[in-house]
Amino acid sequence: MVCIPAHRLVEMEMDGSEINLDMRFRLTNSSSVGSNLEYTTGVSVDNSKGEEVMKTISHAINSGKNPFIVIADDVNKEYISPDINQTDGVGEPASIN
């Protein structure tokens, strides 16, 4: 499970395959452990549905009243959009300067 504040989302983009949506999160608080890092996580989406999934995520972040949203939970099979198939996990963090 990964829980990252929505305001740390800096980018969403399809990776070119039309089925993998990559999301990048930046943590830049130099006073905490694990800060100044960028994390990438992804979800697999139905073919050519990436645009719709990005809009759904953006809408949930911008208009939701809950401080946490579930984008993809493979264990409980809970997804923010029916066009999401599974998560791709979280990649190793990269340092940012």
Side-chain angles (χ1 to χ4, degrees):
M1 174 188 285
V2 177
C3 185
I4 301 173
H7 72 276
R8 298 295 186 184
L9 178 65
V10 294
E11 182 178 36
M12 290 189 287
E13 70 177 351
M14 296 302 292
D15 74 351
S17 69
E18 298 299 321
I19 60 169
N20 294 314
L21 170 62
D22 292 330
M23 295 176 284
R24 287 178 192 70
F25 297 88
R26 186 166 291 158
L27 306 177
T28 57
N29 181 351
S30 62
S31 65
S32 64
V33 175
S35 62
N36 295 323
L37 297 174
E38 187 171 277
Y39 294 84
T40 300
T41 188
V43 294
S44 297
V45 300
D46 289 338
N47 202 17
S48 299
K49 295 292 186 173
E51 186 75 25
E52 289 88 347
V53 172
M54 286 188 279
K55 286 179 182 177
T56 299
I57 293 169
S58 295
H59 178 73
I61 291 170
N62 292 325
S63 64
K65 297 189 182 353
N66 192 331
F68 295 96
I69 59 170
V70 174
I71 293 174
D73 178 351
D74 290 337
V75 173
N76 295 309
K77 303 295 184 207
E78 182 180 343
Y79 304 100
I80 196 168
S81 166
D83 296 317
I84 294 177
N85 299 314
Q86 67 181 17
T87 62
D88 296 336
V90 177
E92 291 294 318
S95 293
I96 55 175
N97 295 321

